[in-house]
Each structure stands twice: as structure tokens, then as C-alpha cells.
Amino acid sequence: MRAGPSQEDIRRHNLGTLLRYVHVRGPASRATLAESLGLNRSTIMALTADLTAAGLVREELPRSPGRRAGRPSLVVRPESTRVYVLAFDVGVDRLAVARVGLGGVVLDRREAPHEGRGPVEPAELVATLAGMARSLVRKAGRDAVCVGAALAFPGIVRRGDDVIRFGPNLRVGDVTLGEMLSRRLALGVPVAVANDANLGAIAEHERGAGVGYDDMVYLHGDVGVGGGIIVGGRLLGGQDGYGGEVGHMGVNPGGRMCSCGARGCLESEVGERTLLTLAGRADLTGVTSREAVRAIVDAADRGDVVARDALHQVGTWLGRGVANLVNIFNPGLVVFGGTLRDVYLGSAAQVRSVLATEGMAAPRERVRLRTAQLGDDTTLVGAAEFAFADVLADPLHVLARLRDPEEEPVGS
Amino acid sequence: MRAGPSQEDIRRHNLGTLLRYVHVRGPASRATLAESLGLNRSTIMALTADLTAAGLVREELPRSPGRRAGRPSLVVRPESTRVYVLAFDVGVDRLAVARVGLGGVVLDRREAPHEGRGPVEPAELVATLAGMARSLVRKAGRDAVCVGAALAFPGIVRRGDDVIRFGPNLRVGDVTLGEMLSRRLALGVPVAVANDANLGAIAEHERGAGVGYDDMVYLHGDVGVGGGIIVGGRLLGGQDGYGGEVGHMGVNPGGRMCSCGARGCLESEVGERTLLTLAGRADLTGVTSREAVRAIVDAADRGDVVARDALHQVGTWLGRGVANLVNIFNPGLVVFGGTLRDVYLGSAAQVRSVLATEGMAAPRERVRLRTAQLGDDTTLVGAAEFAFADVLADPLHVLARLRDPEEEPVGS
């Protein structure tokens, strides 16, 4: 229970809110900002002046001045090329690193194949990622500043110290990948680490299928199945940041053995390996998860009966999982991302049919089922959003600290 | 995205925060309030003066003045006997109505047996509840004022208009019980309606086993099984307020038929009827749910093998449900209330053993399992807290409106 904020708290909040507005929704006129944020124009002007001085936004005349007579309202635009973050995505088959500008613009990116199914040596992984990042940083303008970095990881990550507690398909266990990577990069910014599906949820909520939904469930398939859940507009973290592990919800007692040690988890019933086994396509292991799943969905589309049956079975369990989540969370939207995007497209009728039987009428009637709008980049985009979090929460403080790492404002 | 609050917003927020502080934690000195709320003493004095003038708190010398020399700090005390709410609890076997004073003091209460297993006529139910409430109101002091009312209902309630969408064990379907009851009471306050388990969660979170836990799961058994989940300190509502229906999480495909129409829900596997059937005690139907469940737990304690087996089976499914919820929510605490209190006490070893197998290591290691601290009153206390919500959010506005229903302050 805390009392209302001080004037300084409010100014910081307003600076962050204005910056977040143009970051998420794009350039906006002072008039629009005043109306959307519920502030008067002189306050907007003062906030914009501070953000401009810090090099976070600039003001310019609108590109299409509109039809109204008189002087057009200046447009506030995020400094997308000058202010950026580094986003890292460790997939099972792919590594991706992007330099993402304020406003969410992917300025540049690198991808590399990754053999993440066997044991991965943390030091090697960090070296590879750092190398990719350095080649991006080298190409950035001399006045560009990196304000944050974050890494999406397909494992269970502890909030606070970012220790990876469980990475079933990557076997790096209990390491602080973020700290190692931050040291290696030497850009003066920490590298935050978070669960890939949690970040996918953030990305779809802010920039994808979930825009406008305060309550949504994001299901992510890679080799495993993860989840990220938005409750009342915020990511469900739980006590230690492990929240949203819906892949290990038991749906089939006595079912298939799961990587977590239990049986019949959602992951073990709808994951890539099970789909491949059911489809009789264990030969597809040389390709990436996404290619393998797509091959089966394509085969089913062409009339392959075994592939169809496999998708039907997987769709049944996926439908049960979705029904449980709809009953528990009463979300407005369920989004399927990663390999589950294709699994869902290949089994949508079955998923919906099971949901109609197992989901309760009330929470079921208004829920929408959709595929991820950000395609293969949900988790990467989520990492970028996560990396921007600090500067959006307290823009001037973060900028000041980057310019002078010794400086710690009073009260911080 | 909204900008920071106005001065008037902050004052309203601070009034509510101070009032909530003494409501939840009890009388507090100005010095304690200043420190806990992060406000200076002159602000505390001004806020207290406003709340005192409105008749919501009073200031007095501390009862035990302590050892410090000098004038002791005045203690701010909620006006518990003057400011009250009406809390209604519609159980399957029992109706309860309480007059609860600011500060959470149960001033007076009425209980009546209820035959809620068959069809219930809404008008009759409302007449009974109103009669019980009237006898409480009649005994209140002449200067006492009712500032709110709320009803706990074992069904699915839509947020916004409080329509009961599903009440499997009460069969009143799609009615607005709150509106009917409010009209009948004619006290000038609306009667909010909410799911009983959701209210139980609020009660245990604020005044019971869950104090200090920002992430907790409350499981409530009556005849059915309901849930209320606190995520980041707030009740999970979902898009329409139906969130937390964990009783209809499918745990056993092809299992027992559930009242919701699906099979193998948590409710159908661990509910009272199943326990009675498994224990061979279908004869126990003349008693209340709680008595029936207690009889089986007592029998098991005395060595009855059939009762033990029944509890073991039910404990297995309860453990699976808990494991799923621990994986999904990473809560700090799981609380068992209503009949599940006794079920848990009779099967704790089995619940914990299944959780150890089916729950993932990371979210499992710090979770605590506890029974409801508020005993049979969780849902009733939750209804009272829900009824206080409006006055705690905006104390002066609510009081002004009660004194003069025509008066609507500017900007409301």
C-alpha cells in the first residue's frame, strides 16, 4: 500500500508514457499526444523538449500536412536510427540477433543455424552471439547508442538474477547467460534474459495479433511448447518469473513421457517429436522444427491420410489444452506461434471442436483463436521490447547513466 | 496508455490508501501512517481530517501510550460500528448474511440452512436474504451507515452487469440477483455479485493465509470446485470476469461426467459427490457437504480402508490439478478452502507426492500448501471486502452520494 506519487514520479511517468506512445504507435502530433495521454499541450511541449534534448525523439513538420488551415501541429518521432537495442533469440535450430531501433524498427539482423538439440556449451553460444552482435554494432552510426539488450531463451528463467533453471532442449542449466554475454559485448548495458514464449506473448500483445487485448494466451512451439500469458494487460510472471509454463500442464495422465520428467504434458502430446512420430516421419530430423512441421501439414493438405490423422490427434490434445486455458483465464484471444502456428493451421477444425465440448460456454463464447502476426519473429521482437523496458520506464535516467556510468542520480 | 494523475486524483488515491490501510491492518498512529504510506505528517493530518469529517475514521489517544516521553501520536481508527457493509454468502447448504464494519469486524450475522441442490427460485432466495439482512440492519445504531453490499455466489458471474451465467448447483441461470436484492433492500446501495471462490481468494489474500503473497491460488470446494487466483496482487478476472474456473480444468480425459457437460474435470474428480461415491457413503446425502466430507476424513483417520482409498484417489487428482496450477502460475501459495480444506487435510501426503512428480522443479520448490485461515467464512469475508471496494477507492464521493443520492460531484 503506497500513497500517490510525487511530482518527480509523475514527470518520470509522463516522460516514459510519451516515449512509449511513439515507440509503440509511431510518430504522433502534439495534439494527438495531448488528447491520448490526457495532458495539456504545454505539458506535452515540456516533456517533448526533455526527450528531444536527451536525443530520444525529434520534432518535425508532418509529411502530409492534412487539410486543416493554419500551422500544422509538429510531429513527435522516435529517434529510431540513433537509439537502439540488441535483441537475441536462441531457438533450437536458429540463432537470431537484431539491432532494433526505438519505435520497433528492425534496423539490421543476423541469423545463423544452431544445433540446439544436443548439449550446448554456454561459452561457445555466448561467443557466437557476441560475434553476430558485434558485426551489427559495427555497422551502426557513430552517434547511435545502445540502450538495452535482451535474450529470448527456450527455458525457465528466474526473475531477478536471470539464472536459467531449466532448458530441456538446450541443456545449459543454471547459468547466467546474460551476464556472460553482457561482459563479452562490453557495451555498458546488461543483457536481460527471459523465457522465449513469455517474450512472444509481449510481442504479440504490443505489436501483433493481441493489440487491444488485455487478457490473452500465447502458445509457442519450438521443439518444446511454451506459453506466455497476459493478465489485465501485464505478463503473468508468478512468484519467481516462472509463470506461463503451460507446456507442462498435464492433459493426458499416463500419456507420453515429457522432457520435464512427467507424463502426458501438453508439450509431450502436441510437440514436434510427437507429431513426427505420429506422422511416421521420424526421417525428417535433419531439417528445422518449422520445416518438419510444415512438411507434415503440407502432406495432410495433399491428402496424406497418416499426416491427417497425426494432425487430428495432436489437434485433439491442443484443443484440450486450449479449453483448459480458456476456462482458467477467460482470455479474449489465444495466439499460436512458432511451430504451433502451422500445427494450428493444420488442425484448426479439431482444436475448435474440442474447445466447443471441453470449454465452458461463458468463457468460450467471446474468445478468438489466431496465429501469431509477427511470424517467425515473435520471440525476437519480444526480446527487443523487453530490452526497451528500462529506457521506457525512466528515459532520462537510463540515458544519463549510459553517457556517464559513474553518475547515479540521487534517490535511485 | 495514460499520463500521470492530477492533484485531485492523487488526493482521492491517498484518501483511499489511508482508509484501506486502517481497514486492513487496523488502527495506526499518524507516525506509522506517514512512514508506511511514504507521506509527510502534515499530509497525513489533512487526509485524516477529511476522513474524520466524513465519519469514516476517528482519532484518539493510543490505548497503551508506550514508553516514549512526550505527547503520543494520535491513533487513526476506522469507524467500525458506524460504517458497515452487508455481506451475503449463498452456499449450497447454507445462507449467511453478515453486517461487517469498516476494519473487517463482523458486527452481527445470520445463518440459515439452504436447500441449494435442487432448483432454486430467485425471487424466494432474494426474499430470504433480504429478510435476514433487514433484521441485521434494524439492530444497527441509528447513526450507522451501510456503504455497500455484495453477494458470494457459487456460479459464473459476468463482470459489469453481474449476470449469473452458470450456476450448476443452484440452477438460477442468467438472472441479476444483485439488482433484485438491492431493490428489495432499498438501502440506496447496489449489491455486487461475484463468484464465491474469487471472493474467497480475495479474503485469504487480504486477511487470511495469503497475506503477503502477491501470487496465490485459492481452491474452494462446496459441492462443486471453484478457484480464485491472485496474480501480481490482483484477482485474475479475465476478459469478462469469468477467470479462475479451475474446477473445469480437464485432468482426466474420459473421466467422470461433470456438471459443466465435459468429462474428467478437476471438479468431477475431486468434488464432494465423487468422494462420497468412492467412499461408499452415498447415504450421507442428508447432511451438508462439509459434514459429509468431514465424516469421510474422520473415518479414514479411524482406519476405515475404503475411506482412505477414496481420499487417496481424490488426493491424486487434486495433486494433478495443483501441479498444473503450480506450473502455470508459479504461485507462492496454494490455499484449500471450503470442503477442500478437509479433503486436503485427509490427503495431504498424496497431494504433495503427486505435486513432486508432476510439478516442475523450479516453480515447485518455493510453493507452500495451506488450508484457509478464515475457516468457513472465507467467501463471506470476501463478499464484505468486495462490498467495501467502492468506498475504499473513493471514500468521500461514496459517502456524499449516500447522504444525497441526487448529488453527483463534478467530473464523476
Side-chain angles (χ1 to χ4, degrees):
Chain A
M1 261 181 277
R2 292 295 298 178
S6 70
Q7 285 303 309
E8 183 47 35
D9 291 338
I10 292 177
R11 177 168 163 269
R12 194 183 307 132
H13 175 84
N14 285 346
L15 284 167
T17 305
L18 197 160
L19 191 60
R20 172 172 286 279
Y21 189 97
V22 296
H23 171 65
V24 174
R25 310 216 185 160
S29 71
R30 287 184 186 170
T32 303
L33 288 168
E35 202 188 314
S36 305
L37 307 184
L39 292 169
N40 61 48
R41 289 181 69 160
S42 64
T43 306
I44 295 291
M45 221 189 313
L47 296 170
T48 306
D50 285 350
L51 293 174
T52 304
L56 289 162
V57 303
R58 64 177 187 278
E59 291 189 283
E60 45 185 47
L61 287 170
R63 283 178 191 169
S64 56
R67 280 157 301 173
R68 266 203 290 162
R71 214 173 132 214
S73 179
L74 286 173
V75 163
V76 180
R77 194 175 284 279
E79 283 280 12
S80 300
T81 53
R82 283 194 52 204
V83 180
Y84 71 90
V85 296
L86 289 173
F88 298 86
D89 185 22
V90 177
V92 174
D93 299 314
R94 178 192 82 154
L95 300 177
V97 185
R99 201 162 67 79
V100 180
L102 195 61
V105 193
V106 176
L107 299 167
D108 201 355
R109 63 191 292 163
R110 297 282 180 278
E111 288 192 17
H114 180 52
E115 190 37 77
R117 284 163 203 255
V120 167
E121 186 51 56
E124 270 174 41
L125 177 62
V126 165
T128 309
L129 292 170
M132 293 164 80
R134 265 196 296 266
S135 85
L136 291 174
V137 171
R138 230 175 283 131
K139 285 180 63 188
R142 292 193 55 174
D143 63 341
V145 54
C146 177
V147 297
L151 182 145
F153 193 85
I156 296 187
V157 183
R158 184 161 61 206
R159 184 174 47 213
D161 62 7
D162 288 3
V163 164
I164 294 165
R165 295 297 313 282
F166 182 60
N169 302 311
L170 285 154
R171 301 182 198 170
V172 287
D174 275 34
V175 295
T176 50
L177 227 42
E179 228 175 88
M180 293 167 69
L181 187 52
S182 173
R183 228 178 299 131
R184 190 100 182 198
L185 288 172
L187 290 168
V189 293
V191 180
V193 180
N195 173 268
D196 58 349
N198 281 1
L199 294 179
I202 290 175
E204 287 294 322
H205 180 238
E206 293 205 343
R207 300 189 180 273
V211 170
Y213 287 90
D214 271 353
D215 295 275
M216 63 170 264
V217 171
Y218 174 73
L219 293 172
H220 186 77
D222 195 342
V223 170
V225 170
I229 295 157
I230 306 290
V231 173
R234 296 194 297 183
L235 183 73
L236 183 160
Q239 173 171 248
D240 303 297
Y242 307 140
E245 279 298 332
V246 299
H248 302 285
M249 167 168 65
V251 289
N252 185 19
R256 290 164 194 273
M257 198 69 208
C258 183
S259 65
C260 74
R263 277 187 180 279
C265 294
L266 184 62
E267 170 168 319
S268 61
E269 302 300 328
V270 312
E272 180 219 15
R273 284 180 194 123
T274 300
L275 182 63
L276 264 64
T277 306
L278 289 171
R281 296 297 298 272
D283 60 303
L284 273 173
T285 46
V287 300
T288 69
S289 302
R290 287 172 198 196
E291 287 162 353
V293 170
R294 271 178 206 154
I296 291 167
V297 175
D298 288 347
D301 280 346
R302 286 192 311 267
D304 180 325
V305 179
V306 181
R308 278 196 184 175
D309 273 3
L311 280 165
H312 185 88
Q313 276 189 63
V314 163
T316 302
W317 294 113
L318 187 56
R320 285 183 194 268
V322 169
N324 280 353
L325 295 170
V326 166
N327 289 345
I328 295 173
F329 288 101
N330 179 207
L333 180 74
V334 178
V335 178
F336 301 91
T339 52
L340 284 181
R341 203 156 36 110
D342 291 299
V343 169
Y344 175 70
L345 291 173
S347 65
Q350 180 61 6
V351 171
R352 286 174 182 278
S353 147
V354 174
L355 174 59
T357 324
E358 313 264 324
M360 303 190 76
R364 171 166 41 88
E365 65 194 3
R366 292 212 304 141
V367 69
R368 280 154 192 271
L369 274 49
R370 293 278 181 276
T371 54
Q373 225 173 62
L374 300 169
D376 287 346
D377 280 346
T378 46
T379 49
L380 186 68
V381 170
E385 290 306 308
F386 199 54
F388 275 118
D390 279 351
V391 76
L392 295 175
D394 192 356
L396 304 190
H397 180 171
V398 170
L399 261 280
R401 205 183 46 207
L402 280 167
R403 289 204 176 110
D404 179 3
E406 301 295 304
E407 182 192 310
E408 274 295 304
V410 177
S412 74
Chain B
M1 262 182 274
R2 293 296 297 178
S6 69
Q7 285 303 306
E8 183 48 33
D9 291 338
I10 293 176
R11 179 170 162 269
R12 192 183 309 129
H13 174 83
N14 285 347
L15 284 166
T17 305
L18 197 162
L19 190 59
R20 171 173 285 279
Y21 189 97
V22 296
H23 170 64
V24 173
R25 310 217 185 158
S29 71
R30 286 184 187 169
T32 303
L33 288 168
E35 200 188 317
S36 306
L37 307 183
L39 292 169
N40 60 48
R41 290 180 70 158
S42 64
T43 307
I44 295 291
M45 224 192 307
L47 295 170
T48 306
D50 285 350
L51 294 173
T52 304
L56 289 162
V57 302
R58 66 175 187 279
E59 290 188 283
E60 46 185 47
L61 287 170
R63 282 175 191 171
S64 56
R67 281 158 300 171
R68 265 202 291 163
R71 216 177 128 213
S73 180
L74 285 173
V75 163
V76 181
R77 194 175 286 278
E79 282 280 13
S80 299
T81 54
R82 284 194 51 204
V83 180
Y84 72 89
V85 296
L86 289 172
F88 297 86
D89 185 22
V90 177
V92 174
D93 300 313
R94 177 192 84 155
L95 300 178
V97 185
R99 200 162 68 77
V100 179
L102 195 61
V105 192
V106 177
L107 300 166
D108 200 356
R109 63 191 294 162
R110 295 283 179 278
E111 288 192 19
H114 180 50
E115 189 37 79
R117 284 161 203 256
V120 167
E121 186 53 54
E124 270 174 43
L125 177 62
V126 165
T128 309
L129 292 169
M132 293 164 78
R134 263 196 299 266
S135 86
L136 291 174
V137 171
R138 230 175 284 131
K139 286 180 61 188
R142 290 192 57 175
D143 65 339
V145 54
C146 175
V147 296
L151 182 145
F153 193 84
I156 296 188
V157 183
R158 184 160 62 206
R159 183 174 48 214
D161 61 8
D162 287 1
V163 165
I164 294 165
R165 295 296 312 283
F166 182 59
N169 303 311
L170 284 153
R171 302 186 198 164
V172 288
D174 275 34
V175 295
T176 50
L177 225 44
E179 227 174 271
M180 294 167 70
L181 186 53
S182 172
R183 227 179 297 131
R184 191 101 180 196
L185 289 172
L187 290 168
V189 294
V191 181
V193 180
N195 172 268
D196 56 352
N198 281 1
L199 294 180
I202 290 174
E204 287 293 324
H205 180 238
E206 294 204 344
R207 298 188 182 275
V211 170
Y213 287 92
D214 271 353
D215 294 276
M216 63 169 265
V217 170
Y218 174 73
L219 293 171
H220 186 77
D222 193 345
V223 169
V225 171
I229 295 157
I230 305 290
V231 174
R234 295 193 298 184
L235 183 73
L236 184 158
Q239 173 170 246
D240 304 295
Y242 307 141
E245 278 299 332
V246 300
H248 301 286
M249 168 168 64
V251 289
N252 185 18
R256 289 165 195 274
M257 198 70 208
C258 183
S259 64
C260 74
R263 275 185 183 281
C265 293
L266 184 63
E267 169 168 319
S268 62
E269 302 300 330
V270 312
E272 178 220 17
R273 283 178 195 125
T274 299
L275 182 63
L276 264 64
T277 306
L278 289 170
R281 296 297 298 271
D283 60 302
L284 274 172
T285 46
V287 300
T288 69
S289 302
R290 287 171 200 196
E291 289 161 353
V293 169
R294 273 179 204 154
I296 291 167
V297 174
D298 288 347
D301 280 346
R302 286 192 311 267
D304 179 326
V305 178
V306 180
R308 278 196 181 173
D309 273 2
L311 280 166
H312 185 87
Q313 275 189 65
V314 163
T316 302
W317 293 114
L318 187 56
R320 285 181 194 271
V322 169
N324 280 352
L325 295 170
V326 166
N327 289 344
I328 295 173
F329 288 101
N330 178 208
L333 181 74
V334 178
V335 177
F336 301 91
T339 53
L340 284 181
R341 206 158 32 113
D342 291 298
V343 169
Y344 175 69
L345 290 174
S347 65
Q350 179 62 6
V351 170
R352 288 176 180 275
S353 145
V354 174
L355 174 59
T357 325
E358 313 262 323
M360 304 188 76
R364 170 166 42 85
E365 65 194 1
R366 292 213 304 141
V367 70
R368 280 153 192 272
L369 273 50
R370 294 276 181 278
T371 54
Q373 223 174 65
L374 301 168
D376 287 347
D377 279 347
T378 47
T379 51
L380 186 69
V381 170
E385 290 307 308
F386 200 53
F388 275 118
D390 279 353
V391 78
L392 295 176
D394 191 356
L396 304 190
H397 180 172
V398 170
L399 261 280
R401 205 182 47 208
L402 280 168
R403 288 201 177 113
D404 179 3
E406 301 293 304
E407 182 194 309
E408 274 295 303
V410 177
S412 75

